[in-house]
């Protein structure tokens, strides 16, 4: 039973950090560092660096910037686009680090799974934001951003303190993500199609007379 609990705790931490990183990497790092420094978790050796004050300070500065950028329509999509190249590799690294000093093959497998999960949660978050940005009012962006931050902080806490419950919730999230992503993609294509048609309609028609 103890071995099963250890496996579930390690799996929840591995997948939890990857999932959270895909949504808000800096909130994930701050929460993890705070829990480590307050004695609520003993981090694996490869993750202890996130509790370093310098790392937490850097994550805090970036979270402060993201907190405001993530609530401005259009800016949030640009921010998410840039962070495609940051959140996914970071999710893979955190997942591998959460495994600890095990077989290198296990760490590579964790990195692959963690990177894939981070990519999925990032795509869900970024794609949803593109659709939300079609709304003329800004409040939906604010609510979505605050909700994502709460979900990340709560998710990191839950994957540490209630690993089994978190893994059950994660299964439901993955199932919802698989169902939702194709529909988000169709919505994004429709939005960009409308934008392209709008620009084509506003552009002046080409001259019908052939050049002399």
């Amino acid at each position: 039973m103890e071995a099963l609990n250890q496996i579930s705790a390690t799996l929840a931490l591995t997948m939890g950090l990857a999932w959270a990183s895909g949504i808000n990497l800096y909130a994930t790092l701050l929460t993890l560092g705070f829990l480590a420094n307050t004695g609520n978790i003993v981090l694996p050796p490869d993750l202890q660096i996130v509790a370093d004050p310098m790392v937490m300070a850097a994550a805090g500065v970036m979270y402060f910037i993201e907190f405001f950028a993530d609530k401005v329509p259009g800016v949030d999509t640009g921010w998410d686009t840039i962070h495609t190249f940051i959140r996914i590799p970071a999710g893979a690294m955190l997942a591998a680090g959460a495994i600890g000093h095990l077989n290198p093959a296990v760490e590579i497998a964790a990195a692959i799974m963690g990177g894939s999960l981070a990519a999925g949660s990032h795509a869900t978050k970024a794609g949803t934001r593109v659709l939300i940005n079609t709304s003329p009012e800004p409040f939906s962006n604010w609510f979505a951003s605050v909700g994502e931050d709460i979900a990340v902080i709560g998710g990191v806490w839950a994957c540490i303190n209630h690993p089994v419950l978190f893994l059950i919730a994660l299964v439901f999230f993955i199932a919802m993500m698989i169902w939702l992503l194709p529909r988000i993609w169709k919505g994004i294509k429709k939005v960009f199609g409308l934008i392209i048609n709008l620009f084509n309609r506003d552009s002046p028609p080409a001259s019908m007379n052939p050049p002399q």
Side-chain angles (χ1 to χ4, degrees), residues 18 22 88 114-124 177 181:
I88 298 173
S116 300
L117 183 56
S121 60
H122 169 73
T124 304
M177 182 178 68
L181 278 177

Side-chain angles (χ1 to χ4, degrees), residues 20-31:
S21 296
I23 301 173
N24 191 320
L25 171 62
Y26 308 118
T28 302
L29 293 175
L30 280 175
T31 304

Side-chain angles (χ1 to χ4, degrees), residues 25-34 36-37 43 46-64 90 93-94:
L25 171 62
Y26 308 118
T28 302
L29 293 175
L30 280 175
T31 304
L32 194 61
F34 174 80
N37 282 312
L43 293 174
D46 291 346
L47 283 184
Q48 290 177 2
I49 188 66
V50 303
D52 186 274
M54 187 174 296
V55 175
M56 291 191 65
V61 170
M62 294 306 298
Y63 176 73
F64 178 81
M93 292 174 61
L94 288 174

Side-chain angles (χ1 to χ4, degrees), residues 179-199:
W179 178 84
L180 196 59
L181 278 177
R183 289 159 178 79
I184 291 176
W185 177 241
K186 288 181 181 178
I188 292 173
K189 289 198 297 184
K190 185 176 180 180
V191 169
F192 279 100
L194 292 173
I195 294 174
I196 292 172
N197 290 336
L198 180 64
F199 276 101

Side-chain angles (χ1 to χ4, degrees), residues 3 16 19 22 49 74 107 119 133 142 144 169:
W19 164 82
I49 188 66
E107 293 187 30
N133 283 339
W142 302 347

Side-chain angles (χ1 to χ4, degrees), residues 4 20 25 68-69 71 95 108 149 156 176:
L4 183 60
L25 171 62
F68 293 99
K71 292 172 178 59
I108 293 175
D149 289 355
V156 173
M176 183 184 70

Side-chain angles (χ1 to χ4, degrees), residues 1-14 99 163-164 167:
M1 189 65 179
E2 184 177 349
L4 183 60
N5 289 337
Q6 182 62 38
I7 292 172
S8 62
T10 301
L11 183 60
L13 181 63
T14 301
I99 289 294
V164 175
L167 289 173

